[in-house]
Amino acid sequence: MKILVAFIILWPLAGFLFNGLGRNYWSKKLIAYKATGYIVASFIASIFAFLYVQDNGAVTVHYFDFIHTDSIKIPFDFKVDALSSLFLLVITGVGSLIHLYSTAYMQEESAPHYARYFAYLNLFIFSMLLLVLGDNYIIMFMGWEGVGLCSYLLIGYWFSNGNYNYAAKKAFIMNRIGDLGFLLAIFWLIAKLGTVSYSEVLTAETVAKLSSADITGITLLLFVGAMGKSAQIPLFTWLPDAMAGPTPVSALIHAATMVTAGIYMITRSNILFTHSEITQNIVAIIGISTALLAATIAIKQNDIKKVLAYSTVSQLGYMFLGLGVGAYSGAVFHVITHAFFKALLFLGAGSVIHAMHHEQDIRKMGGLKSKLPITHITFLIGCIAISGVPPFSGFFSKDEILAAAFEKNKIYWVLGLVGAAMTAFYMFRLYATTFLGKFRGSNEQEAHLHESPLAMTLPLIVLAILSALGGAIGIPHIMGGHHWLTGQLSTIVSTPQVAHLAVSTEWILMGLSVAIAAIALLIALSRYSKQTDEEPSSAIGKFFYHKWYIDELYQKAIIEPLNKFALFLKEFIEKKVIDGAVNGSGKLVQFSARKVRLIQNGQAGYYILFMVVGIIILFLIWFNDITILRFIHTLTQK
Amino acid sequence: MNTLEILFFALSAFAIISAIMVLISKNPIHSVLWLILVFFSISGHYILLNAQFLAIVNIIVYAGAIMVLFLFVIMLMNVKKDKEPQKQLWVKLIGVIAGGSFLTLLIALVKQNTSFQGRDVLLKEGNIGLIHPLGVALFTDYVVPFEISSVLFLSAMVGAVIIGKK
Amino acid sequence: MPIEYYIFLCLMLFSIGVIGVLTRRNAIIVFMCIELMLNAVNLLLVAFSKMNYGAAKLISATTTAGIDAQIFVFFIMVVAAAEVSIGLAIIVMMYRNTHSIDINFLNRLKN
């Protein structure tokens, strides 16, 4: 088992090293095969690990002692249990599909850059696996940082464009702000408990040891980390800008895996969260606010990837809402289904972009359904799934969260419903504008339109199937299923919150959500299949279109003062104070040297004087038990 | 011992006063003369300690030869009283303070040293200062330095001649 | 005569010599103060020799303890004489070159 788990994580690392170091030597085909092959191998190993855990329960694999001092011991352990093996499957499975897709999508790049892309992608998978496999918060943090780094590297993949670099920086810095919260939480844990291993921290006895202030503080700080990584308010503005990276990157990192790291972390630490009412409320409120905010912005966007990005932020908000109301398995379910359909949607968008020769504005698209049939069908399936229409997977996961929200607080449910309606609306707006109606682009673009190669369509098909049928793992009791997922996670989640509603209430809730989603969907279809949006004219329209002016707010409130502060530091402190001190000490030495040199004035009399003074001092030091004062004292006494 | 003490103190006072006058005199010739007086008083001390040979040699060599040499050079240079530039006052002050502290330090050192308690200098008696024992010691134990000192004189003469020639 | 008296006397003379060296600017006077210092040391050495002799005499009547110091004084005088001759030769040469015997003039060492 030890070796198996090691293989899971080492193959992507090997892929990173080989592709990275050998990028100047190998052909594109070879690199593609190797990179994808490694991840597929990891996927197969993950299946074995999953089956093993199914049979034998959770396993902790110990490799070596990472930090080993008197006060703290942090071993390098991997924990393979239901939660992490599920995530393993998702990460390596979706990851290998996206690798396959990328082999065709990135064909235009030259071989060294091609290899660089795959090296970064493999490194990302490695870091993500490290994150979910770690048995303590430190290893999770290592993976956490790693995925942040890879996100930066991949967003700024086309580094010659300054805007892309800026977006990459923005992503990394916002991530970092969250990381600070995470780090503080770890420090707090170490200070209070002296350990960060899951097996020691996440038990009922340990939690009883901590005061409620401790738990609230730690969980809040953990949530800050999750905010940064999973793009919640206020640290979400990096995600839309991260669309500057290649589309498969957006699919993998910003839809399926990295952004779900926050949810993984909170699910793992659920015992701490259930003990802190305040944090749970905060998580839920921020989650639903993010969901609504992002949905409003998505309604007005015109770039295909930006719509999907805001949709991701919105869905993440739903997941956090689920976490906040205690529906941990619901949130994990939504993570899995979201990975399927969001990756599908992004890859489909990539296929469209590829066909439109890198055009991303949906106002210039339209009528693509005849030209790109496979993309069209799969994209449609993805849209239906995300809108929460049964029997596709999104319905089940979203509904579970909404039911738990209803039980906790009706307002959450109402807002969640509004958000679901908006989700359906903007997704079908996107679908209709892109695929229905007449083609609105230029003639040469029209001539270029073709379906994507097999390497790109095959993942689309697989993901479409998964999005359609993936709901099977979480069919609720009232429909006759036995909710396999909740059973899986019962070992992890201390108090699984399956909504205990009356059966009739649940049916009503489900019916309402489906109905509202269907209405929104049809409105969008009818409106947008023939025409596109003009420039928003109303004030609210403008407000949504300009992303609630949050970026500008950040610019004015945070970035500019920071820049001014940095400028101040440079001008005043760096130049005057520090340089002054350094130069000044040089000047001081020069000055004193000049003065001291005057002693060497060639006048022998001075030399003798100093000789005498030197002898006096020598005697004073030598016979150091005499004191002149004592002598003078005896003199005066006589 | 009373007369001896009085004699000692008188000679000491004489020596110190003459030494101070050496410093203070403006005219260099006066300084030389005062120094000769110092040498005389020191020779007086030698006689008090019954180091007769050294007393006589002191007078002959130091006061007689060396100081005369000094006088020759001074008169040769024609050093007059008002031509000699004086050092600035603060330099002199620093010098006096340095010397004074030097003195104070050494006196303090001596005073706190107890190994000199009760050891007296034998005045007036003893024959080690007489010529005979001194000569015997000089020519038996210290004959090598004696011979070498002659070489030293030779080199000094040669050096003086060479330096003076150019 | 306790030895401290002699020590103090010699210290006085010696420090007067030191002060003279530091204070005067005429090279010849400086030289003379050096001679003064040498003499003070001579006196002290002789005093020490008598001190040792006095202590040794109490043990045996025919000792020559302490004669070494007097021989040493003798040699000091020898060296002093040689040194004076050379030193004065140097001063004469200095005077010939610079027509001054001011030791501050010797700041040629500056450059």
Side-chain angles (χ1 to χ4, degrees), chain B residues 5 8-9 12 15-16 19-20 22-26 28 31-32 35 38-39 42 45-46 48-51 53-54 57-58 62 66 69-70 73-74 77 79 84-87 92 95-96 98-100 102-103 106-107 110-111 116-117 119-123 125-129 133-134 137-138 142 145-146 149 152-153 156 159-160 163-166, chain C residues 1-9 11-26 28-29 31-33 35-36 38-40 42-43 46-55 57 63-71 73-86 88-93 95-96 101-104:
Chain B
E5 275 189 19
F8 172 77
F9 280 121
S12 312
I16 292 180
I20 295 182
V22 168
L23 288 191
I24 297 184
S25 307
K26 289 283 193 319
S31 299
V32 173
L35 195 61
V38 172
F39 289 152
I42 291 192
H45 272 290
Y46 285 158
L48 198 57
L49 288 166
N50 208 16
F53 175 65
L54 281 178
V57 166
N58 203 5
Y62 258 112
I66 295 180
L69 202 57
F70 268 106
V73 171
I74 289 180
M77 307 275 205
V79 180
E84 182 197 325
Q86 288 292 320
K87 278 191 165 168
K92 281 203 252 195
V96 171
F102 186 63
L103 173 66
L106 289 176
I107 291 183
V110 170
K111 259 200 155 356
F116 288 138
Q117 299 290 357
R119 304 188 75 170
D120 281 351
V121 175
L122 193 63
L123 299 177
E125 291 175 357
N127 58 351
I128 56 165
L134 211 57
L138 194 60
Y142 295 100
F146 187 69
S149 66
L152 176 70
F153 273 134
I163 294 178
K165 224 168 178 293
K166 285 201 249 224
Chain C
M1 205 82 275
I3 186 72
E4 286 96 344
Y5 291 5
Y6 274 100
I7 297 184
F8 291 147
L9 169 67
L11 281 180
M12 289 288 303
L13 286 174
F14 189 82
S15 48
I16 291 177
V18 167
I19 293 178
V21 167
L22 295 176
T23 313
R24 299 296 295 241
R25 249 169 101 178
N26 195 334
I28 299 186
I29 308 288
F31 215 178
M32 281 178 3
C33 294
E35 295 302 315
L36 178 59
L38 277 173
N39 262 285
N42 285 352
L43 180 58
V46 171
F48 275 136
S49 88
K50 287 313 288 265
M51 178 177 92
N52 286 334
Y53 178 72
K57 191 148 179 238
T63 62
T64 53
I67 204 168
D68 314 316
Q70 303 207 356
I71 305 234
V73 168
F74 177 71
F75 280 114
I76 290 181
M77 287 195 202
V78 162
V79 170
E83 158 216 346
V84 161
S85 60
I86 303 263
L88 285 178
I90 292 178
I91 291 183
V92 167
M93 188 174 72
Y95 178 76
R96 254 197 250 151
I101 49 173
D102 179 1
I103 61 171
N104 280 355

Side-chain angles (χ1 to χ4, degrees), chain A residues 300 527 533-543 545-546:
Chain A
K300 285 286 174 195
R527 185 155 162 201
D533 269 333
E534 315 88 13
E535 274 303 308
S537 47
S538 63
I540 291 202
K542 275 216 183 58
F543 191 57
Y545 181 66
H546 285 287

Side-chain angles (χ1 to χ4, degrees), chain A residues 189 291 295 438:
Chain A
L189 275 173
K438 275 186 344 128

Side-chain angles (χ1 to χ4, degrees), chain A residues 190-422:
Chain A
I190 294 181
K192 285 288 168 188
L193 297 174
T195 173
V196 281
S197 298
Y198 296 152
S199 47
E200 291 167 32
V201 173
L202 303 173
T203 59
E205 305 94 36
T206 321
V207 174
K209 265 196 264 175
L210 295 170
S211 72
S212 67
D214 281 336
I215 298 184
T216 310
I218 293 177
T219 49
L220 271 177
L221 286 171
L222 284 176
F223 181 55
V224 169
M227 264 200 269
K229 186 68 74 183
S230 302
Q232 297 298 292
I233 296 175
L235 297 171
F236 71 93
T237 51
W238 64 269
L239 193 63
D241 287 351
M243 295 302 116
T247 313
V249 166
S250 307
L252 182 62
I253 298 185
H254 308 127
T257 41
M258 181 178 101
V259 292
T260 59
I263 289 121
Y264 172 79
M265 181 239 279
I266 295 187
T267 310
R268 181 59 85 186
S269 329
N270 65 80
I271 195 172
L272 289 171
F273 278 85
T274 46
H275 277 85
S276 170
E277 193 69 28
I278 304 176
T279 317
Q280 279 193 307
N281 285 339
I282 293 181
V283 170
I285 292 175
I286 290 190
I288 190 65
S289 324
T290 314
L292 287 177
L293 182 103
T296 55
I297 300 180
I299 293 181
K300 285 286 174 195
Q301 292 303 307
N302 283 325
D303 181 334
I304 205 177
K305 285 176 71 173
K306 285 258 168 38
V307 176
L308 292 175
Y310 282 107
S311 160
T312 306
V313 177
S314 181
Q315 296 304 306
L316 286 170
Y318 270 104
M319 294 179 216
F320 277 101
L321 172 66
L323 289 174
V325 299
Y328 293 106
S329 65
V332 172
F333 192 12
H334 203 56
V335 166
I336 298 178
T337 58
H338 177 262
F340 295 151
F341 53 68
K342 196 41 77 61
L344 169 64
L345 286 168
F346 265 111
L347 293 184
S351 177
V352 168
I353 295 174
H354 185 79
M356 293 284 294
H357 211 60
H358 294 289
E359 173 65 64
Q360 294 182 238
D361 191 337
I362 58 177
R363 293 173 290 192
K364 299 221 175 56
M365 304 179 192
L368 293 177
K369 81 172 179 190
S370 45
K371 303 283 175 31
L372 309 171
I374 301 183
T375 312
H376 167 243
I377 301 276
T378 51
F379 199 85
L380 181 60
I381 293 179
C383 286
I384 300 179
I386 197 175
S387 308
V389 176
F392 289 171
S393 55
F395 163 69
F396 294 105
S397 55
K398 202 178 280 195
D399 202 72
E400 192 172 335
I401 294 179
L402 286 177
F406 182 80
E407 201 184 13
K408 194 71 181 276
N409 188 338
K410 306 278 187 299
I411 301 185
Y412 288 154
W413 177 76
V414 170
L415 292 175
L417 212 55
V418 171
M422 284 202 272

